Amino acid sequence: MFDLLPKTVEIVEVGPRDGLQNEKTSLSAQDKIDFIDQLSLVGCKRIEAGSFVSPKWVPQMASSDEVFRTIKRVDGIRYSALTPNMKGFDLAMQVGVQEVAIFGAASQSFSQKNINCSIQESLERFAPVVEKAKQHNIPVRGYVSCVLGCPYEGDIKVEDVVTVSTALLDMGCYEISLGDTIGVGTPLKTKALIEACLLVIPSSQLAVHFHDTYGQALANILTAIQLGIRVIDSSVAGLGGCPYAKGASGNVASEDVVYMLHNMGINTGIDLNKLIQVGKSMSHKLNRNNGSKVGVAGS
């Protein structure tokens, strides 16, 4: 299988949104702006920079409008934001967001607990957002959470993931990011999931988003790449704890992913040494341990 590895893989840096929103320490708007500006200089081409949700529910994202107005945008980099409803989308458009994302789930229980509605109701809520994005020529990315396990239901049926993913694609999303929200996936389960998705979804429209709760993320990413996936979500310094597993790590660290890929001859366009420095800086600012093995080893 190793002779089938690609020459390049695209990294979607989710630290400024998915990472920071699960951190206990809230940063100032200027700290977040500096963070994104630093990431813009390491070679990241896609940065998830904020979220237009109610600050009541996600206080860490309260200054996303100021962040988008102030960051130094670099040509060739796409800065995206999570916009789960029309109000969020309209706010995102006011500050020039280039791409938006909507967030569904493959688990009914998780959907109810996370966004207070059923899966079907969530899809109905997203439809007008996607429709308006089309009118503005704004690409929409779809997230599907709990694809390999749910904190409330346990194992999730592969067909449920496929159903939600295809519904988001049919709605107009250009790409689906399959999220192992609680980090319970293993390579064989990852293989079964992706193979099922590939029966109805082209590999060019799939991405993977692994949390490293049980230390399986890199193995799962390698499995996904061997099956043709070319877009990987990750978070510098492993920012973002897992709120459903006390004390557990969250997102896979971008440094660890980039180190693995580069040492397999796969180019990401990212300067690993610069990325390590950003991760160390953010870990210090958040008063947390660096969640990247590579970041710690390279200290």
Side-chain angles (χ1 to χ4, degrees), residues 92-153:
M93 291 305 95
Q94 291 172 21
V95 293
V97 172
Q98 299 160 291
E99 174 181 315
V100 299
I102 53 180
F103 207 108
S107 157
Q108 289 288 1
S109 299
F110 189 85
S111 184
Q112 289 286 356
K113 296 271 189 180
N114 197 41
I115 54 177
N116 200 33
C117 66
S118 69
I119 292 172
Q120 184 57 41
E121 287 169 335
S122 74
L123 294 173
E124 291 168 1
R125 289 183 189 179
F126 297 148
V129 175
V130 178
E131 187 56 39
K132 196 163 185 181
K134 288 179 187 176
Q135 295 170 12
H136 287 78
N137 293 316
I138 298 292
V140 182
R141 191 180 204 226
Y143 283 98
V144 181
S145 57
C146 296
V147 298
L148 289 167
C150 170
Y152 311 110
E153 295 182 15

Side-chain angles (χ1 to χ4, degrees), residues 154-292:
D155 289 341
I156 296 296
K157 293 178 181 177
V158 167
E159 51 265 36
D160 291 343
V161 179
V162 174
T163 297
V164 177
S165 299
T166 52
L168 289 171
L169 281 175
D170 291 344
M171 194 181 293
C173 292
Y174 78 94
E175 181 176 83
I176 303 300
S177 178
L178 302 171
D180 183 13
T181 309
I182 55 174
V184 294
T186 52
L188 287 182
K189 288 184 177 180
T190 298
K191 181 174 183 288
L193 171 66
I194 292 176
E195 286 179 339
C197 289
L198 288 174
L199 291 175
V200 292
I201 302 171
S203 60
S204 60
Q205 290 187 284
L206 288 173
V208 289
H209 181 118
F210 289 106
H211 283 225
D212 204 29
T213 314
Y214 294 95
Q216 303 297 299
L218 288 179
N220 293 337
I221 286 169
L222 177 57
T223 299
I225 290 170
Q226 289 174 322
L227 291 168
I229 305 305
R230 301 292 179 260
V231 181
I232 310 296
D233 295 1
S234 61
S235 175
V236 67
L239 297 182
C242 180
Y244 310 102
K246 188 177 180 180
S249 54
N251 290 291
V252 65
S254 300
E255 301 95 315
D256 298 356
V257 176
V258 171
Y259 177 89
M260 180 182 79
L261 296 177
H262 287 188
N263 281 279
M264 294 172 66
I266 301 172
N267 184 36
T268 64
I270 291 173
D271 185 317
L272 179 57
N273 290 326
K274 289 182 180 178
L275 187 67
I276 288 171
Q277 294 308 311
V278 176
K280 288 165 67 174
S281 172
M282 287 309 300
S283 298
H284 177 73
K285 204 165 276 188
L286 289 163
N287 194 29
R288 76 191 300 275
N289 292 328
N290 192 334
S292 163

